[in-house]
Amino acid sequence: MTKIDEPQKMHSESFFDSAQAKKLAARNSTLGKSGADKDHKPTAFVIACRWIVANQIEWSSTLLAAIYLWDSFVAGGESVMVKLQYRIPGDPQGRYTRGWNDIYYIARWVVIFTALRVILMQWILEPFARWYGVRSRRKVTRFGEQGWLTIYYILSNSAGLYVMHGSPYWMNTKGLWTDYPEGHKQMTALMKSYYLIQLGFWFQQVFVILIEEHRKDFFAMFTHHIITCNLMGWSLYMNFTRIGNAILCLMDSSDIFLSGTKCIRYLGFERVAMGSFIVFILSWVYTRHYLYFKLMHSIIYESTTIIGFDSWDPKNGSFYSYNVVLAFGVLLALLQILIIYWFALVLRVVYRVIFLSNYDDSRSDSEDGGDDDNDTADSDRKTVANKKKKSD
């Protein structure tokens, strides 16, 4: 029986499976070949993780149903998981401050993004790829993953730019720091919901990277997500949401072209993908390096001339100090190091495009390799060849 008769199942190794395999390999190496436990069972933790991954739609939709039923019939529409909290009493603009109960709102969006991601991938994006003619199961899965990211980044970047437009810091870095902290700790409903939803997405991305196929830059990507969650969490707590909004817009804009280019290529539009890839490189350099360094300069130098290090007053929402600027500077510098690392991989792709006419993703061990249909065809050809040899 050839591979074509096997059930179509994606053979990908997540972080949990990889960690389990490494642990088992280390154990067997100490026992030796004679004592190796070939039938070693996965731990309860790994089994639980596999169940969570395999049943994402079921448990996320169940949790969401419970949350909204509780909000409707018990909390009277005032549940901390559904309604924005800490509205300022008597504020004519209906603005909000931040507080610890915002964690529940963020948690709900983690569940929402888990459900949305799987539903869009399995019910819309992957069926579309198969309908269009993508035969490789790996490419179908990758199209679903990158298609989801493309949709999200378009929406999040549009929302982020809309929040920035008309604000004091639109095209004005000094506006990032004026009226701190009073003009910063008071957020419109749009600003606060945007920021909390973004936090929910990035916490959910930590979960996603653990369940996706383990790639070469796993630890770099995992570090990126942890740094991003820290930057967003602390900026919300310390009332630096303006600079957080600006940085998120810089990141999302180039990610649209990164994920979009991959989707276009999976569908076979090589020339269109080439044009999109060029736009991606230009947007990456402009937003993630040039504008990013301008924002870092504003954080490290410009902010000190507008706020001053003598404004530390946590009781009134002012968290500006030398140590805080240093901490944010270090985290942003680490993030830039990761961005430079990824740009080096992009340059490798550019080299392949120019000299080898090939632009596979350098991040992946086998992102576009391992085409199951091609493997099946090769296997069938080998079987026919062997039969001919035997008959001869």
Side-chain angles (χ1 to χ4, degrees):
M1 184 181 293
T2 63
K3 289 183 180 180
I4 199 169
D5 296 316
E6 295 179 359
Q8 293 194 7
K9 184 178 180 181
M10 189 66 191
H11 297 283
S12 62
E13 187 181 63
S14 68
F15 169 79
F16 302 112
D17 293 325
S18 177
Q20 175 75 11
K22 289 179 180 178
K23 185 177 181 180
L24 180 58
R27 180 177 182 274
N28 288 344
S29 65
T30 57
L31 292 174
K33 292 184 179 180
S34 60
D37 186 3
K38 296 182 180 179
D39 298 324
H40 182 70
K41 296 182 179 179
T43 63
F45 175 74
V46 172
I47 293 174
C49 291
R50 288 175 179 173
W51 183 91
I52 291 172
V53 171
N55 299 278
Q56 292 178 66
I57 294 180
E58 290 80 3
W59 63 259
S60 61
S61 58
T62 301
L63 276 176
L64 288 174
I67 289 170
Y68 287 110
L69 286 172
W70 175 272
D71 179 65
S72 299
F73 296 104
V74 179
E78 299 292 327
S79 170
V80 294
M81 298 196 77
V82 177
K83 186 177 180 180
L84 285 175
Q85 302 296 302
Y86 306 106
R87 182 167 181 170
I88 302 172
D91 186 81
Q93 300 180 41
R95 291 176 297 181
Y96 294 79
T97 58
R98 66 6 173 208
W100 290 109
N101 282 343
D102 292 333
I103 294 173
Y104 299 106
Y105 191 91
I106 296 170
R108 176 174 64 95
W109 276 99
V110 172
V111 180
I112 289 174
F113 282 127
T114 300
L116 279 177
R117 179 180 181 272
V118 179
I119 289 171
L120 280 174
M121 283 179 58
Q122 295 185 1
W123 295 358
I124 298 176
L125 295 171
E126 291 179 6
F128 172 78
R130 285 190 290 267
W131 170 83
Y132 195 81
V134 180
R135 297 184 62 196
S136 167
R137 291 195 295 273
R138 184 180 298 277
K139 287 186 178 181
V140 168
T141 301
R142 292 293 289 149
F143 178 84
E145 293 170 354
Q146 297 302 316
W148 154 250
L149 290 176
T150 303
I151 294 170
Y152 176 79
Y153 289 134
I154 289 174
L155 294 175
S156 65
N157 194 49
S158 300
L161 291 174
Y162 183 79
V163 169
M164 288 183 65
H165 184 71
S167 69
Y169 55 99
W170 176 256
M171 301 296 179
N172 176 28
T173 55
K174 290 184 178 179
L176 295 167
W177 315 107
T178 54
D179 300 325
Y180 182 85
E182 289 301 323
H184 297 246
K185 67 182 183 181
Q186 299 170 348
M187 297 175 284
T188 63
L190 177 61
M191 177 61 163
K192 182 170 182 178
S193 57
Y194 162 79
Y195 219 79
L196 296 184
I197 291 170
Q198 283 276 39
L199 266 167
F201 172 78
W202 284 106
F203 279 122
Q204 199 268 340
Q205 281 295 99
V206 175
F207 167 72
V208 167
I209 196 173
L210 295 175
I211 67 173
E212 278 188 343
E213 184 178 0
H214 204 172
R215 295 186 175 86
K216 287 180 180 179
D217 72 336
F218 168 82
F219 289 104
M221 187 67 75
F222 185 75
T223 303
H224 168 272
H225 292 356
I226 296 301
I227 292 175
T228 301
C229 290
N230 272 278
L231 284 170
M232 292 192 65
W234 285 111
S235 63
L236 176 65
Y237 179 76
M238 295 183 173
N239 301 313
F240 295 120
T241 51
R242 290 184 183 182
I243 188 69
N245 176 208
I247 292 176
L248 284 169
C249 287
L250 294 187
M251 297 298 176
D252 289 348
S253 57
S254 59
D255 278 333
I256 294 172
F257 297 105
L258 173 61
S259 300
T261 298
K262 293 180 181 181
C263 290
I264 294 169
R265 183 167 177 257
Y266 294 141
L267 295 178
F269 297 102
E270 296 292 342
R271 290 186 178 180
V272 179
M274 177 66 71
S276 179
F277 182 64
I278 293 172
V279 175
F280 156 68
I281 294 175
L282 295 176
S283 67
W284 177 291
V285 173
Y286 181 68
T287 59
R288 295 202 168 195
H289 295 295
Y290 174 69
L291 292 182
Y292 190 96
F293 278 114
K294 285 194 69 174
L295 286 183
M296 284 195 67
H297 177 271
S298 179
I299 293 170
I300 297 171
Y301 297 105
E302 198 170 43
S303 64
T304 61
T305 63
I306 298 173
I307 302 177
F309 291 131
D310 58 347
S311 61
W312 175 265
D313 188 8
K315 290 183 179 180
N316 292 316
S318 180
F319 295 87
Y320 191 88
S321 70
Y322 174 82
N323 289 332
V324 169
V325 172
L326 179 63
F328 276 100
V330 169
L331 288 175
L332 289 169
L334 291 174
L335 198 58
Q336 181 61 207
I337 291 172
L338 291 174
I339 293 172
I340 292 172
Y341 162 71
W342 281 315
F343 188 62
L345 298 184
V346 171
L347 293 179
R348 286 180 58 187
V349 176
V350 172
Y351 173 82
R352 291 175 182 175
V353 170
I354 296 175
F355 297 101
L356 304 177
S357 299
N358 178 9
Y359 53 108
D360 289 341
D361 189 344
S362 299
R363 292 195 309 111
S364 176
D365 290 323
S366 56
E367 180 170 301
D368 297 322
D371 188 323
D372 299 287
D373 295 294
N374 290 340
D375 291 343
T376 300
D378 290 340
S379 177
D380 291 340
R381 284 194 292 269
K382 289 179 181 178
T383 302
V384 172
N386 290 334
K387 286 182 179 179
K388 287 184 177 180
K389 286 183 180 179
K390 288 181 180 178
S391 62
D392 292 337

